[in-house]
Amino acid sequence: MNSEYKSALFLSIKIGYLSSFQKQAANSLVTETLQYFVFFCRPAYSAILVKCLIINVLRFILAIPFFTAFLNITYTARHTWATMAYYSEVHPGIISEAMGHSSITVTETYLKPFKNKKIDEANKIKEEVSIIKNSIPDLEKEEEVLEHEIKERMMKIPNIIDSSVPIGEDDSKNVEIEKFGEPFVPEYEIPYHADIMNRLNGLDKDSAGRTSGNGFYYLMGDIARLSTAMLNYARDYMIDKNFIYCIPPFMIRSDVVSGVMSFEEMDAMMYKIEGEDLFLIGTSEHSMIGRFKGQLLKESELPITMTSYSPCFRKEVGAHGIEERGIYRVHQFEKQEMIVLCKPEESMDWYNKMWKYTVEIFRNMNIPVRTLECCSGDLADLKVKSVDVEAWSPRQKKYFEVGSCSNLGDAQARRLRIRVKGENGNYFAHTLNNTVVAPPRMLIAFLENNLREDGSVAIPEVLRPYMGGKESLQPKK
């Protein structure tokens, strides 16, 4: 092997290891080398040999195979090199000169067999692509099913409760926190709340049973007015606390329902509208939190504090059932609600503010109350921490639930994709909700605690502007 061949060989090895950004310069150098061998070296096919060596240099580690190729060049080897050179965009003229053929012969000899092989391979690939394409609809359906199954399983994972929550299996293990107002039992008898309402000509359950069935009622006269007065007073109280008043939609879609409550709560509470993806709200909290579904909020907008009025509709499926005679547990009622969206570090502060608002409203109506910390077994799946506000019943000589304040952490925000754009990136907002007042339960507590011995009902000062200045309700003669 002469020195020109050796120089070309080592030059090709050197160029083969150049980095990608040097390829353009390397190609120019290769072209000059090829021209040199075509016009000044023998045998004539040296140019294509060098080009092929450069293309395939990564397949070889040592230079020995290259020397062997140079020393033992056969027709078959030249045929292979020429074919590779053609598909490496070496001009056919150079190949023909190197191989001693015309350009047409080069094309027919080296291109056609290779082309036929590629066509077969292409047809095989097309067939595989067609099979994949036909399987896509089935795979998409399977993906949809699996996605739904994964989401359903994830939705069943409960929230992480706060470390301060007492551990217990059910509501019998809830812990009393504090009493507000002295519970009392008068010397005179406190009738059942439905009887008090009937004496004031304010309740008609029989007619409601005929029109709607069990669990519904008509409020009449001063009792209906008293119920509305409580709601209006609670609304104005919350507005004075800088909460924005809102009347929300009373129906929401299923993706909002599943975003604000667990499946178990959904099955036990929500009424589905037949033939539509709509549910009647069980509380305005559902609609109010859903308002922010899929939103990216500015951190400067927080906290968002809102109070809302709505009717509420509940199936009340479960152990408690519907109260036959009274209005303690019914399918339809009205409620004033409060919600807060805030930064994670502020949620516990808001939690403690919110339940205190409810306590103050009840005390302003002369109703003794207490707060009860819900234990782990009494917490719904999405709740981090919850406290029940219970009113005193002088008739039963015990407290009963009239409202609930809950911190849900980021559980609802994660489900509904309610995010906040902060200085250090996006994060999920914390959501809280609390009952301000909820007639008819508040109405029951009010009547029992403000009933006088003569059967009249005292009207507290805070409600008088909403009752036309009345100071009491008188029983019918």
Side-chain angles (χ1 to χ4, degrees), residues 5 8 12 30-55 70 73 81-82 85 90-91 93-99:
Y5 273 86
S12 69
V30 170
T31 302
E32 293 175 3
T33 305
L34 288 175
Q35 291 173 349
Y36 173 79
F37 282 117
V38 168
F39 294 106
F40 298 100
C41 300
R42 292 294 182 270
Y45 51 78
S46 57
I48 185 57
L49 176 62
V50 174
K51 182 68 174 180
C52 291
L53 286 172
I54 295 168
I55 294 169
F70 270 91
I73 296 173
W81 291 326
V90 176
H91 194 278
I94 297 175
I95 298 174
S96 63
E97 186 173 350
M99 299 300 292

Side-chain angles (χ1 to χ4, degrees), residues 41-306:
C41 300
R42 292 294 182 270
Y45 51 78
S46 57
I48 185 57
L49 176 62
V50 174
K51 182 68 174 180
C52 291
L53 286 172
I54 295 168
I55 294 169
N56 290 284
V57 71
L58 294 178
R59 296 185 182 181
F60 300 90
I61 304 301
L62 301 176
I64 296 175
F66 287 92
F67 290 113
T68 304
F70 270 91
L71 296 173
N72 300 284
I73 296 173
T74 63
Y75 178 79
T76 302
R78 282 186 286 160
H79 184 287
T80 302
W81 291 326
T83 303
M84 294 177 66
Y86 190 93
Y87 281 94
S88 297
E89 298 180 354
V90 176
H91 194 278
I94 297 175
I95 298 174
S96 63
E97 186 173 350
M99 299 300 292
H101 299 310
S102 67
S103 296
I104 297 174
T105 304
V106 168
T107 302
E108 290 296 318
T109 303
Y110 307 120
L111 173 59
K112 195 170 182 180
F114 194 74
K115 185 177 180 180
N116 290 338
K117 182 179 178 183
K118 285 292 183 182
I119 290 173
D120 291 340
E121 290 179 0
N123 288 335
K124 185 178 179 182
I125 292 171
K126 283 173 67 177
E127 186 178 343
E128 292 174 355
V129 169
S130 178
I131 292 170
I132 293 171
K133 181 182 177 181
N134 293 335
S135 68
I136 287 176
D138 291 334
L139 290 172
E140 286 177 341
K141 288 180 182 178
E142 185 180 355
E143 180 188 23
E144 188 176 338
V145 171
L146 292 174
E147 250 183 17
H148 177 74
E149 186 180 336
I150 290 170
K151 185 176 180 180
E152 194 173 68
R153 291 186 181 185
M154 289 177 66
M155 292 289 198
K156 291 179 180 178
I157 300 173
N159 205 347
I160 299 173
I161 64 174
D162 190 76
S163 59
S164 63
V165 173
I167 304 302
E169 62 272 15
D170 54 39
D171 60 3
S172 65
K173 301 299 182 183
N174 290 347
V175 179
E176 182 181 288
I177 303 172
E178 189 175 357
K179 291 179 179 178
F180 303 86
E182 191 64 33
F184 73 100
V185 178
E187 294 181 357
Y188 53 89
E189 180 186 1
I190 303 293
Y192 186 63
H193 67 267
D195 294 332
I196 299 174
M197 291 180 181
N198 284 327
R199 291 175 187 178
L200 295 167
N201 202 25
L203 178 66
D204 183 359
K205 286 206 68 176
D206 292 337
S207 297
R210 291 191 296 271
T211 60
S212 308
N214 193 27
F216 297 92
Y217 54 92
Y218 286 96
L219 293 183
M220 312 287 292
D222 283 339
I223 293 297
R225 191 176 186 184
L226 180 61
S227 177
T228 302
M230 291 176 174
L231 290 164
N232 289 343
Y233 165 64
R235 175 202 63 204
D236 292 347
Y237 176 94
M238 294 310 300
I239 291 173
D240 289 343
K241 298 296 183 183
N242 296 318
F243 278 63
I244 299 170
Y245 180 56
C246 179
I247 299 177
F250 303 153
M251 298 182 192
I252 53 176
R253 291 176 173 170
S254 59
D255 58 347
V256 176
V257 177
S258 62
V260 296
M261 65 197 308
S262 66
F263 291 126
E264 289 75 12
E265 290 176 299
M266 180 176 172
D267 291 338
M269 180 189 296
M270 305 298 286
Y271 281 105
K272 173 85 166 59
I273 305 301
E274 187 175 354
E276 298 189 50
D277 181 28
L278 286 172
F279 291 78
L280 291 171
I281 60 172
T283 167
S284 60
E285 166 220 334
H286 301 156
S287 187
M288 295 294 288
I289 297 295
R291 177 172 178 256
F292 302 96
K293 176 178 176 288
Q295 299 298 302
L296 180 61
L297 308 173
K298 296 178 182 177
E299 196 170 50
S300 59
E301 296 175 336
L302 300 182
I304 296 173
T305 57
M306 304 191 75

Side-chain angles (χ1 to χ4, degrees), residues 339-445:
I339 67 150
V340 170
L341 281 77
C342 65
K343 299 176 184 178
E345 61 269 24
E346 296 176 353
S347 65
M348 290 311 297
D349 289 338
W350 274 108
Y351 171 80
N352 289 315
K353 286 180 185 177
M354 291 167 73
W355 66 257
K356 288 176 182 176
Y357 293 153
T358 301
V359 168
E360 185 175 359
I361 288 172
F362 273 79
R363 292 300 300 131
N364 289 345
M365 296 188 198
N366 301 324
I367 302 172
V369 293
R370 72 171 181 176
T371 50
L372 205 64
E373 177 85 21
C374 296
C375 71
S376 57
D378 194 34
L379 282 180
D381 286 348
L382 301 189
K383 295 181 179 181
V384 172
K385 190 176 176 69
S386 185
V387 60
D388 287 342
V389 176
E390 296 189 334
W392 172 251
S393 169
R395 184 184 72 85
Q396 300 180 78
K397 301 178 180 61
K398 67 176 185 178
Y399 290 91
F400 65 95
E401 183 187 339
V402 290
S404 180
C405 179
S406 300
N407 184 341
L408 292 100
D410 62 6
Q412 290 178 329
R414 284 182 180 277
R415 290 177 172 223
L416 294 173
R417 302 293 297 169
I418 304 172
R419 296 166 297 149
V420 180
K421 188 174 184 179
E423 292 182 2
N424 300 318
N426 299 340
Y427 60 88
F428 291 107
H430 274 207
T431 62
L432 302 95
N433 64 78
N434 181 33
T435 307
V436 187
V437 296
R441 289 193 184 183
M442 186 174 193
L443 196 57
I444 296 170

